[in-house]
Amino acid sequence: MAKLNISDDWWTAPSQDSGGNTVLVTGRRGLDNVIATGRYRYRIEMTWLYEPDGGGMPQYHTSRAMELVTDALHASLKRDPVAVMTGIYTGAGERNWVFYTVSLKAFQGMLNAALSGIPEQLPLTFHAEEDPTWEEYREMCQSEIAREE
C-alpha cells in the first residue's frame, strides 16, 4: 500500500470570535486526498487555556511552550500519521489544535509518546466527536485569505 501524501502547506489569517476578540487561525491546505480515504473520521480538539496579554495572545513563555508541543506533535505525526493536524486557533485566552484521526485510542498513544519529552504538566483538555465529512475543516478553510496570484 502506498504511503499517503499529506500536505504540509499552511496558511494563517486573523479572525474574530463571537465576542469580537482577535483569533489567529492557522490552517492546512490540500487535504482532499486525506478526506477521500474516509479513514480519518474522528475530530479531536485539544485546548490550552492561558492567561492572555492585553491583545488576547499568550505571554512569551507560554507561546514558546505551545510551540514545543506543536513541534513534538508534527514530528510524531510525520513518523506515524494516525492523525492529521488540520488547524490551530490562538487568541482570547486559548489555543486549540484540531486533528482528524483514524482512532481515538491510536491518537491517545501518539499524543502520550509525542509529549513524553516535555517535563511540565500541560493544562490540556480534549473534545472528540465523529466528523466523517470534515465539517469543521471545511468551515475553517473559509477563513483563509485569498492569495494574490
Side-chain angles (χ1 to χ4, degrees):
M1 185 172 175
K3 184 176 178 183
L4 182 62
N5 184 24
I6 300 174
S7 167
D8 203 24
D9 185 13
W10 293 82
W11 54 270
T12 299
S15 187
Q16 288 187 338
D17 68 7
S18 59
N21 299 300
T22 298
V23 175
L24 293 178
V25 180
T26 300
R28 197 174 207 160
R29 290 186 189 95
L31 295 177
D32 289 341
N33 64 322
V34 178
I35 296 169
T37 69
R39 295 184 64 223
Y40 295 83
R41 56 184 302 109
Y42 301 100
R43 184 181 75 243
I44 297 176
E45 295 178 18
M46 183 173 82
T47 302
W48 180 328
L49 300 177
Y50 59 84
E51 188 64 41
D53 66 12
M57 295 298 147
Q59 304 286 336
Y60 177 77
H61 68 282
T62 303
S63 177
R64 293 294 306 141
M66 289 174 175
E67 291 311 308
L68 287 174
V69 168
T70 301
D71 291 347
L73 291 166
H74 275 302
S76 184
L77 292 172
K78 190 169 190 143
R79 285 189 302 277
D80 185 8
V82 299
V84 177
M85 186 186 306
T86 59
I88 304 169
Y89 300 82
T90 307
E94 65 183 67
R95 172 170 281 187
N96 292 294
W97 291 265
V98 180
F99 305 85
Y100 282 81
T101 186
V102 297
S103 156
L104 299 178
K105 185 175 181 176
F107 179 85
Q108 181 182 12
M110 176 282 302
L111 179 72
N112 289 337
L115 301 183
S116 65
I118 297 177
E120 64 185 282
Q121 185 173 2
L122 301 172
L124 301 174
T125 59
F126 298 86
H127 172 78
E129 64 184 59
E130 284 194 61
D131 184 4
T133 61
W134 287 49
E135 183 178 325
E136 190 282 336
Y137 174 76
R138 294 175 198 284
E139 184 177 310
M140 178 201 63
C141 288
Q142 294 175 10
S143 297
E144 182 180 5
I145 297 171
R147 293 189 273 187
E148 292 184 28
E149 298 302 321

